[in-house]
Amino acid sequence: MKENILRCCICGEEFAPDEVCRFENRIYCLDCLEEETVVCEDCGERVRMDEAVTDSNNTLCRFCFNENYCYCEDCGGIIHNDNAYYMDGDEYEEYPYCYTCYARMRKDKAIHDYGYKPDPIFYGDGKMVIGVELEVDCGGYDNDNAKEVLKIANKNREDRLYVKNDGSLDDGFELVSHPMTLSYHKNEMPWESIMKKLVHMGYKSHQACTCGLHCHVSRAALGDCYDKQEDATGRILYFVEHHWNEILKFSRRTEAQMERWAARYGNNGNPKKLYNDVKKGYCSRYRAVNILNYSTIEFRMFRGTLKYNTFIATLQFVNEICKAAVSLSDEEMEALTWENFVSSLDEKNDSELITYLKERKLYTKEAE
Protein backbone atom coordinates (compact mmCIF):
# COMPACT_ATOMS: atom_id res chain seq x y z
CA MET A 1 0.00 0.00 0.00
CA LYS A 2 1.33 3.44 -0.97
CA GLU A 3 1.97 5.76 1.96
CA ASN A 4 1.28 9.51 2.03
CA ILE A 5 -0.63 9.46 -1.25
CA LEU A 6 -3.48 12.02 -1.34
CA ARG A 7 -6.49 12.15 -3.65
CA CYS A 8 -7.71 15.43 -5.26
CA CYS A 9 -11.33 16.20 -4.34
CA ILE A 10 -12.06 17.47 -7.84
CA CYS A 11 -10.36 15.20 -10.39
CA GLY A 12 -9.95 12.12 -8.11
CA GLU A 13 -6.33 11.58 -9.11
CA GLU A 14 -3.72 10.57 -6.54
CA PHE A 15 -0.77 12.84 -5.76
CA ALA A 16 2.20 13.09 -3.43
CA PRO A 17 1.84 15.53 -0.51
CA ASP A 18 4.02 18.14 -2.20
CA GLU A 19 1.75 18.06 -5.29
CA VAL A 20 -1.47 19.13 -3.53
CA CYS A 21 -2.84 22.07 -1.50
CA ARG A 22 -5.47 22.25 1.19
CA PHE A 23 -8.27 24.76 0.74
CA GLU A 24 -11.32 24.93 3.03
CA ASN A 25 -10.23 21.59 4.55
CA ARG A 26 -10.28 19.86 1.19
CA ILE A 27 -7.40 18.54 -0.91
CA TYR A 28 -6.83 19.98 -4.39
CA CYS A 29 -4.18 19.16 -6.92
CA LEU A 30 -2.43 22.26 -8.23
CA ASP A 31 -4.21 22.23 -11.60
CA CYS A 32 -7.68 21.91 -10.05
CA LEU A 33 -6.85 24.56 -7.47
CA GLU A 34 -6.09 27.03 -10.28
CA GLU A 35 -9.28 26.09 -12.13
CA GLU A 36 -11.62 26.17 -9.13
CA THR A 37 -10.26 29.08 -7.05
CA VAL A 38 -8.75 32.55 -7.41
CA VAL A 39 -6.78 34.92 -5.19
CA CYS A 40 -8.34 38.28 -4.33
CA GLU A 41 -6.11 41.08 -5.61
CA ASP A 42 -7.20 43.36 -2.78
CA CYS A 43 -6.80 41.26 0.38
CA GLY A 44 -4.77 38.31 -0.97
CA GLU A 45 -7.23 35.67 0.27
CA ARG A 46 -8.12 32.67 -1.90
CA VAL A 47 -11.80 32.12 -2.68
CA ARG A 48 -13.84 29.74 -4.83
CA MET A 49 -14.32 30.89 -8.40
CA ASP A 50 -18.10 31.07 -8.04
CA GLU A 51 -17.71 33.42 -5.07
CA ALA A 52 -15.32 35.83 -6.81
CA VAL A 53 -16.11 39.11 -8.57
CA THR A 54 -14.12 39.42 -11.78
CA ASP A 55 -13.76 41.32 -15.02
CA SER A 56 -10.99 41.42 -17.63
CA ASN A 57 -8.74 43.42 -15.30
CA ASN A 58 -9.78 42.59 -11.72
CA THR A 59 -10.23 39.56 -9.48
CA LEU A 60 -11.78 40.19 -6.06
CA CYS A 61 -13.46 38.40 -3.21
CA ARG A 62 -17.05 39.37 -2.60
CA PHE A 63 -16.23 41.12 0.68
CA CYS A 64 -13.57 43.39 -0.81
CA PHE A 65 -15.79 44.23 -3.78
CA ASN A 66 -18.69 45.23 -1.53
CA GLU A 67 -16.43 47.30 0.70
CA ASN A 68 -14.25 49.11 -1.82
CA TYR A 69 -15.44 48.66 -5.41
CA CYS A 70 -18.39 49.18 -7.75
CA TYR A 71 -19.38 48.58 -11.36
CA CYS A 72 -19.17 51.27 -14.04
CA GLU A 73 -22.75 52.00 -14.99
CA ASP A 74 -21.90 52.16 -18.69
CA CYS A 75 -19.32 49.47 -19.54
CA GLY A 76 -19.83 47.25 -16.47
CA GLY A 77 -16.15 47.21 -15.56
CA ILE A 78 -15.01 47.03 -11.94
CA ILE A 79 -13.67 50.31 -10.49
CA HIS A 80 -12.36 51.22 -7.07
CA ASN A 81 -14.65 53.65 -5.25
CA ASP A 82 -11.84 56.20 -5.14
CA ASN A 83 -11.60 56.10 -8.94
CA ALA A 84 -15.34 56.38 -9.66
CA TYR A 85 -16.67 59.45 -11.48
CA TYR A 86 -20.18 60.88 -11.31
CA MET A 87 -22.12 63.04 -13.76
CA ASP A 88 -23.18 66.05 -11.67
CA GLY A 89 -26.46 67.82 -12.20
CA ASP A 90 -28.41 65.38 -14.35
CA GLU A 91 -30.31 62.10 -14.32
CA TYR A 92 -27.06 60.11 -14.22
CA GLU A 93 -25.64 61.78 -11.12
CA GLU A 94 -26.23 58.75 -8.82
CA TYR A 95 -24.29 56.30 -10.95
CA PRO A 96 -20.53 55.60 -10.93
CA TYR A 97 -18.47 55.56 -14.12
CA CYS A 98 -14.91 54.60 -14.97
CA TYR A 99 -12.83 57.47 -16.30
CA THR A 100 -13.03 56.33 -19.93
CA CYS A 101 -16.83 56.19 -19.92
CA TYR A 102 -17.09 59.39 -17.89
CA ALA A 103 -14.88 61.29 -20.34
CA ARG A 104 -16.86 60.01 -23.31
CA MET A 105 -20.19 60.86 -21.72
CA ARG A 106 -18.99 64.34 -20.80
CA LYS A 107 -18.00 64.87 -24.40
CA ASP A 108 -21.39 63.62 -25.65
CA LYS A 109 -23.36 65.43 -22.96
CA ALA A 110 -25.53 68.17 -24.42
CA ILE A 111 -26.87 69.55 -21.11
CA HIS A 112 -24.04 71.05 -19.09
CA ASP A 113 -23.98 71.56 -15.34
CA TYR A 114 -25.38 74.86 -14.03
CA GLY A 115 -21.90 76.24 -13.35
CA TYR A 116 -20.69 75.67 -16.90
CA LYS A 117 -19.41 78.93 -18.39
CA PRO A 118 -17.20 78.77 -21.49
CA ASP A 119 -15.12 81.69 -22.69
CA PRO A 120 -17.45 84.01 -24.65
CA ILE A 121 -17.38 84.05 -28.43
CA PHE A 122 -18.64 87.30 -29.93
CA TYR A 123 -20.83 87.32 -33.04
CA GLY A 124 -21.65 90.31 -35.19
CA ASP A 125 -20.01 93.68 -35.75
CA GLY A 126 -20.22 96.19 -32.91
CA LYS A 127 -19.73 96.52 -29.17
CA MET A 128 -23.43 96.39 -28.30
CA VAL A 129 -23.82 92.64 -27.83
CA ILE A 130 -26.49 90.71 -25.96
CA GLY A 131 -26.17 87.26 -24.48
CA VAL A 132 -29.49 85.47 -24.03
CA GLU A 133 -30.60 82.98 -21.38
CA LEU A 134 -33.93 81.42 -22.32
CA GLU A 135 -35.49 78.92 -19.92
CA VAL A 136 -37.86 76.21 -21.19
CA ASP A 137 -39.77 73.67 -19.12
CA CYS A 138 -42.33 70.85 -19.17
CA GLY A 139 -40.77 69.00 -22.11
CA GLY A 140 -38.19 66.89 -20.32
CA TYR A 141 -34.67 67.17 -18.96
CA ASP A 142 -33.62 65.26 -22.05
CA ASN A 143 -30.14 65.08 -23.53
CA ASP A 144 -31.45 63.98 -26.95
CA ASN A 145 -33.87 66.92 -27.09
CA ALA A 146 -31.05 69.30 -26.22
CA LYS A 147 -28.95 67.80 -29.02
CA GLU A 148 -31.77 68.43 -31.50
CA VAL A 149 -31.90 72.09 -30.48
CA LEU A 150 -28.14 72.47 -30.71
CA LYS A 151 -28.13 70.84 -34.14
CA ILE A 152 -30.34 73.69 -35.37
CA ALA A 153 -28.58 76.47 -33.46
CA ASN A 154 -25.02 75.49 -34.33
CA LYS A 155 -25.49 74.25 -37.88
CA ASN A 156 -22.40 75.09 -39.97
CA ARG A 157 -20.97 76.96 -37.00
CA GLU A 158 -20.05 75.62 -33.58
CA ASP A 159 -20.66 77.19 -30.19
CA ARG A 160 -23.32 79.81 -30.85
CA LEU A 161 -25.61 78.24 -28.27
CA TYR A 162 -25.17 75.85 -25.35
CA VAL A 163 -27.59 74.20 -22.94
CA LYS A 164 -27.41 74.12 -19.14
CA ASN A 165 -29.20 72.57 -16.21
CA ASP A 166 -31.20 75.00 -14.08
CA GLY A 167 -32.50 73.97 -10.67
CA SER A 168 -35.42 76.40 -10.84
CA LEU A 169 -37.00 74.37 -13.65
CA ASP A 170 -39.19 71.32 -13.12
CA ASP A 171 -38.57 69.38 -16.32
CA GLY A 172 -36.54 71.41 -18.78
CA PHE A 173 -33.30 73.27 -19.35
CA GLU A 174 -31.80 76.66 -20.12
CA LEU A 175 -30.60 77.80 -23.54
CA VAL A 176 -27.65 80.19 -23.40
CA SER A 177 -26.30 82.11 -26.37
CA HIS A 178 -22.85 83.55 -26.77
CA PRO A 179 -22.82 87.38 -27.02
CA MET A 180 -24.33 88.59 -30.29
CA THR A 181 -25.31 91.90 -31.78
CA LEU A 182 -29.01 92.52 -32.19
CA SER A 183 -28.61 92.24 -35.96
CA TYR A 184 -26.94 88.84 -35.59
CA HIS A 185 -29.68 87.57 -33.26
CA LYS A 186 -32.30 88.64 -35.76
CA ASN A 187 -30.69 87.85 -39.11
CA GLU A 188 -28.17 85.06 -38.49
CA MET A 189 -29.26 83.12 -35.43
CA PRO A 190 -32.08 80.65 -36.25
CA TRP A 191 -34.17 81.50 -33.19
CA GLU A 192 -37.48 81.02 -34.98
CA SER A 193 -36.57 77.47 -36.02
CA ILE A 194 -35.26 76.71 -32.53
CA MET A 195 -38.52 77.85 -30.95
CA LYS A 196 -40.66 75.88 -33.39
CA LYS A 197 -38.62 72.78 -32.57
CA LEU A 198 -39.03 73.32 -28.84
CA VAL A 199 -42.78 73.78 -29.17
CA HIS A 200 -42.97 70.62 -31.30
CA MET A 201 -41.15 68.69 -28.57
CA GLY A 202 -43.64 69.87 -25.95
CA TYR A 203 -41.65 72.59 -24.20
CA LYS A 204 -43.20 75.70 -22.71
CA SER A 205 -41.77 78.98 -21.56
CA HIS A 206 -44.40 81.71 -21.11
CA GLN A 207 -47.02 79.16 -20.04
CA ALA A 208 -44.65 77.66 -17.47
CA CYS A 209 -44.49 79.75 -14.30
CA THR A 210 -40.84 78.74 -13.84
CA CYS A 211 -39.27 80.34 -16.93
CA GLY A 212 -37.53 83.62 -17.57
CA LEU A 213 -35.78 85.36 -20.44
CA HIS A 214 -32.58 87.08 -19.29
CA CYS A 215 -30.44 89.41 -21.40
CA HIS A 216 -26.78 90.10 -20.63
CA VAL A 217 -25.36 93.31 -22.11
CA SER A 218 -21.62 93.84 -22.29
CA ARG A 219 -20.43 96.64 -20.03
CA ALA A 220 -17.95 97.56 -22.76
CA ALA A 221 -20.92 98.62 -24.90
CA LEU A 222 -21.91 101.27 -22.36
CA GLY A 223 -18.82 103.44 -22.69
CA ASP A 224 -15.14 103.48 -23.57
CA CYS A 225 -14.02 103.91 -19.98
CA TYR A 226 -15.07 102.76 -16.52
CA ASP A 227 -16.68 106.06 -15.48
CA LYS A 228 -18.82 106.25 -18.62
CA GLN A 229 -19.93 102.65 -18.13
CA GLU A 230 -20.89 103.40 -14.51
CA ASP A 231 -22.86 106.51 -15.54
CA ALA A 232 -24.74 104.62 -18.26
CA THR A 233 -25.55 101.79 -15.82
CA GLY A 234 -27.05 104.35 -13.43
CA ARG A 235 -29.24 105.68 -16.23
CA ILE A 236 -30.40 102.13 -17.07
CA LEU A 237 -31.41 101.59 -13.44
CA TYR A 238 -33.21 104.93 -13.43
CA PHE A 239 -35.12 104.09 -16.63
CA VAL A 240 -36.28 100.76 -15.20
CA GLU A 241 -37.33 102.25 -11.87
CA HIS A 242 -38.95 105.36 -13.37
CA HIS A 243 -40.97 103.36 -15.93
CA TRP A 244 -41.65 100.36 -13.71
CA ASN A 245 -45.38 100.12 -14.47
CA GLU A 246 -44.76 99.97 -18.20
CA ILE A 247 -41.91 97.49 -17.77
CA LEU A 248 -44.06 95.27 -15.56
CA LYS A 249 -46.68 95.17 -18.29
CA PHE A 250 -44.02 94.58 -20.94
CA SER A 251 -42.45 91.72 -18.94
CA ARG A 252 -45.65 89.61 -18.80
CA ARG A 253 -44.79 88.77 -15.20
CA THR A 254 -46.91 89.33 -12.12
CA GLU A 255 -45.82 91.55 -9.23
CA ALA A 256 -45.21 88.44 -7.14
CA GLN A 257 -43.03 86.87 -9.82
CA MET A 258 -41.05 90.09 -10.14
CA GLU A 259 -40.53 90.26 -6.41
CA ARG A 260 -39.18 86.73 -6.37
CA TRP A 261 -36.97 86.73 -9.47
CA ALA A 262 -36.43 90.35 -10.55
CA ALA A 263 -37.27 92.80 -7.78
CA ARG A 264 -36.92 96.53 -8.26
CA TYR A 265 -34.48 98.60 -6.22
CA GLY A 266 -36.77 101.56 -5.56
CA ASN A 267 -36.71 104.94 -7.27
CA ASN A 268 -34.35 107.08 -5.19
CA GLY A 269 -33.41 110.37 -6.80
CA ASN A 270 -31.39 110.94 -9.95
CA PRO A 271 -29.49 108.22 -11.87
CA LYS A 272 -26.16 108.79 -10.13
CA LYS A 273 -27.66 108.79 -6.62
CA LEU A 274 -29.77 105.74 -7.38
CA TYR A 275 -26.76 103.81 -8.65
CA ASN A 276 -24.59 104.81 -5.69
CA ASP A 277 -27.34 103.80 -3.27
CA VAL A 278 -27.67 100.43 -5.01
CA LYS A 279 -23.92 99.76 -4.82
CA LYS A 280 -23.79 100.72 -1.15
CA GLY A 281 -26.94 98.84 -0.20
CA TYR A 282 -28.16 95.28 -0.50
CA CYS A 283 -27.32 93.74 -3.86
CA SER A 284 -28.69 90.49 -5.17
CA ARG A 285 -28.65 88.93 -8.58
CA TYR A 286 -32.42 88.45 -8.25
CA ARG A 287 -33.06 92.06 -9.27
CA ALA A 288 -34.69 93.49 -12.36
CA VAL A 289 -31.23 94.65 -13.41
CA ASN A 290 -28.44 92.57 -11.92
CA ILE A 291 -25.19 94.56 -11.65
CA LEU A 292 -23.11 91.92 -9.83
CA ASN A 293 -21.46 90.44 -12.92
CA TYR A 294 -18.00 91.74 -13.77
CA SER A 295 -18.34 92.06 -17.54
CA THR A 296 -22.11 92.37 -18.10
CA ILE A 297 -25.27 93.81 -16.69
CA GLU A 298 -28.24 91.46 -16.73
CA PHE A 299 -31.87 92.33 -17.49
CA ARG A 300 -33.85 89.68 -15.59
CA MET A 301 -37.40 90.99 -15.60
CA PHE A 302 -38.82 89.29 -18.70
CA ARG A 303 -40.96 86.20 -18.70
CA GLY A 304 -39.80 83.39 -20.95
CA THR A 305 -41.31 83.02 -24.40
CA LEU A 306 -41.30 80.70 -27.40
CA LYS A 307 -43.00 83.31 -29.55
CA TYR A 308 -40.41 84.65 -31.95
CA ASN A 309 -41.79 88.19 -32.31
CA THR A 310 -41.96 88.60 -28.53
CA PHE A 311 -38.41 87.32 -28.20
CA ILE A 312 -36.96 89.73 -30.78
CA ALA A 313 -39.05 92.59 -29.38
CA THR A 314 -37.52 91.96 -25.96
CA LEU A 315 -33.99 92.12 -27.36
CA GLN A 316 -34.86 95.31 -29.25
CA PHE A 317 -36.28 96.81 -26.05
CA VAL A 318 -33.09 96.06 -24.12
CA ASN A 319 -31.04 97.47 -26.98
CA GLU A 320 -33.06 100.70 -27.04
CA ILE A 321 -32.80 101.17 -23.27
CA CYS A 322 -29.02 100.81 -23.49
CA LYS A 323 -28.81 103.18 -26.46
CA ALA A 324 -30.72 105.81 -24.50
CA ALA A 325 -28.53 105.30 -21.44
CA VAL A 326 -25.39 105.81 -23.52
CA SER A 327 -26.57 108.79 -25.59
CA LEU A 328 -28.46 110.81 -22.96
CA SER A 329 -27.17 112.77 -20.01
CA ASP A 330 -28.54 112.18 -16.53
CA GLU A 331 -30.79 115.23 -16.87
CA GLU A 332 -32.07 114.09 -20.27
CA MET A 333 -32.79 110.61 -18.90
CA GLU A 334 -34.78 112.15 -16.02
CA ALA A 335 -36.81 114.14 -18.53
CA LEU A 336 -37.44 111.16 -20.83
CA THR A 337 -41.12 110.17 -20.74
CA TRP A 338 -42.41 106.82 -21.86
CA GLU A 339 -44.13 108.52 -24.78
CA ASN A 340 -40.85 110.17 -25.86
CA PHE A 341 -39.04 106.85 -25.61
CA VAL A 342 -41.63 104.99 -27.68
CA SER A 343 -41.85 107.74 -30.29
CA SER A 344 -38.09 107.50 -30.89
CA LEU A 345 -38.34 103.91 -32.11
CA ASP A 346 -37.54 103.21 -35.75
CA GLU A 347 -40.43 101.57 -37.61
CA LYS A 348 -38.05 99.61 -39.84
CA ASN A 349 -35.42 98.45 -37.35
CA ASP A 350 -37.77 98.07 -34.37
CA SER A 351 -40.84 96.71 -36.13
CA GLU A 352 -41.16 93.67 -33.83
CA LEU A 353 -40.89 95.89 -30.76
CA ILE A 354 -43.51 98.31 -32.04
CA THR A 355 -45.87 95.44 -32.86
CA TYR A 356 -45.38 94.00 -29.37
CA LEU A 357 -45.91 97.39 -27.69
CA LYS A 358 -49.18 97.75 -29.56
CA GLU A 359 -50.25 94.25 -28.48
CA ARG A 360 -49.54 95.17 -24.86
CA LYS A 361 -51.21 98.60 -25.25
CA LEU A 362 -47.91 100.29 -24.46
CA TYR A 363 -47.61 102.13 -27.78
CA THR A 364 -49.47 105.16 -26.50
CA LYS A 365 -51.71 107.42 -28.57
CA GLU A 366 -49.45 110.38 -27.85
CA ALA A 367 -46.61 108.52 -29.54
CA GLU A 368 -48.51 107.51 -32.66
Side-chain angles (χ1 to χ4, degrees):
M1 181 176 179
K2 298 179 181 179
E3 296 182 359
N4 298 324
I5 297 300
L6 303 173
R7 189 182 299 278
C8 174
C9 67
I10 300 299
C11 68
E13 296 292 327
E14 294 179 339
F15 297 90
D18 61 352
E19 295 177 323
V20 298
C21 285
R22 290 186 179 273
F23 173 70
E24 294 184 341
N25 296 320
R26 301 179 73 188
I27 296 172
Y28 290 79
C29 70
L30 298 183
D31 288 340
C32 288
L33 185 71
E34 289 300 314
E35 291 179 3
E36 297 293 321
T37 68
V38 292
V39 174
C40 173
E41 295 173 357
D42 199 52
C43 68
E45 293 293 323
R46 186 174 291 276
V47 296
R48 291 197 304 271
M49 185 70 76
D50 60 3
E51 293 182 347
V53 181
T54 64
D55 64 6
S56 59
N57 298 309
N58 301 275
T59 301
L60 302 163
C61 68
R62 178 66 61 179
F63 177 82
C64 287
F65 175 82
N66 291 338
E67 287 291 309
N68 300 313
Y69 293 81
C70 57
Y71 289 114
C72 171
E73 184 68 20
D74 193 56
C75 70
I78 296 172
I79 45 177
H80 194 282
N81 291 337
D82 292 342
N83 296 325
Y85 292 80
Y86 295 84
M87 304 291 287
D88 295 337
D90 62 20
E91 70 268 33
Y92 305 111
E93 63 184 351
E94 307 178 4
Y95 305 116
Y97 295 91
C98 68
Y99 178 75
T100 299
C101 292
Y102 173 80
R104 177 182 52 75
M105 291 183 70
R106 291 288 295 183
K107 184 177 180 181
D108 294 341
K109 185 179 177 185
I111 305 176
H112 295 282
D113 302 336
Y114 179 75
Y116 177 76
K117 190 174 182 180
D119 292 335
I121 303 171
F122 294 84
Y123 292 96
D125 297 325
K127 289 185 177 181
M128 183 63 73
V129 290
I130 302 173
V132 171
E133 298 172 351
L134 174 61
E135 297 168 345
V136 297
D137 212 342
C138 306
Y141 183 83
D142 191 291
N143 199 65
D144 290 336
N145 287 351
K147 284 183 178 181
E148 288 296 312
V149 173
L150 292 173
K151 189 184 299 183
I152 298 170
N154 298 331
K155 183 179 181 181
N156 300 326
R157 185 188 291 270
E158 295 183 356
D159 296 330
R160 293 194 296 193
L161 186 77
Y162 54 95
V163 178
K164 291 170 51 174
N165 171 54
D166 191 313
S168 68
L169 305 176
D170 296 326
D171 198 22
F173 43 72
E174 180 181 59
L175 284 66
V176 185
S177 80
H178 282 274
M180 302 172 181
T181 62
L182 177 61
S183 176
Y184 195 95
H185 275 293
K186 184 176 178 181
N187 300 317
E188 303 292 335
M189 190 65 182
W191 282 116
E192 190 165 15
S193 297
I194 290 169
M195 292 176 181
K196 286 180 179 178
K197 186 65 175 180
L198 287 164
V199 171
H200 178 74
M201 291 189 294
Y203 287 95
K204 298 178 181 179
S205 193
H206 174 90
Q207 294 91 342
C209 297
T210 52
C211 296
L213 168 59
H214 305 158
C215 300
H216 287 261
V217 175
S218 171
R219 288 183 182 269
L222 302 180
D224 55 13
C225 67
Y226 175 80
D227 289 340
K228 289 182 179 180
Q229 293 169 14
E230 292 287 276
D231 289 343
T233 302
R235 290 191 281 272
I236 290 171
L237 295 183
Y238 182 88
F239 182 93
V240 171
E241 296 292 337
H242 192 66
H243 301 292
W244 182 256
N245 290 336
E246 290 86 357
I247 285 175
L248 178 64
K249 195 170 183 179
F250 188 104
S251 74
R252 292 166 289 112
R253 289 189 184 272
T254 65
E255 285 274 14
Q257 289 170 338
M258 282 290 213
E259 186 62 31
R260 180 179 181 185
W261 302 113
R264 66 187 301 185
Y265 289 103
N267 186 9
N268 297 310
N270 60 43
K272 194 176 297 295
K273 182 180 185 302
L274 170 60
Y275 189 42
N276 288 334
D277 288 346
V278 167
K279 289 194 294 183
K280 292 176 184 177
Y282 173 70
C283 279
S284 163
R285 75 184 195 89
Y286 296 107
R287 293 287 185 169
V289 181
N290 168 27
I291 62 170
L292 294 182
N293 299 315
Y294 175 75
S295 58
T296 68
I297 61 170
E298 179 188 16
F299 293 77
R300 292 182 51 88
M301 56 275 207
F302 309 113
R303 191 167 182 165
T305 183
L306 291 176
K307 185 177 179 182
Y308 176 73
N309 190 88
T310 300
F311 175 83
I312 293 298
T314 302
L315 270 57
Q316 290 172 339
F317 184 48
V318 168
N319 187 68
E320 290 298 327
I321 293 173
C322 292
K323 281 172 55 179
V326 170
S327 63
L328 301 180
S329 66
D330 283 5
E331 293 74 19
E332 289 170 331
M333 178 60 78
E334 290 182 70
L336 182 68
T337 65
W338 180 260
E339 290 76 13
N340 294 149
F341 173 76
V342 171
S343 65
S344 70
L345 300 178
D346 185 278
E347 291 188 3
K348 179 180 179 181
N349 294 324
D350 299 316
S351 60
E352 290 85 359
L353 176 56
I354 290 173
T355 297
Y356 180 78
L357 290 171
K358 289 180 178 180
E359 291 173 352
R360 304 296 295 172
K361 295 182 170 51
L362 288 169
Y363 197 79
T364 61
K365 289 183 179 181
E366 291 84 352
E368 290 181 341

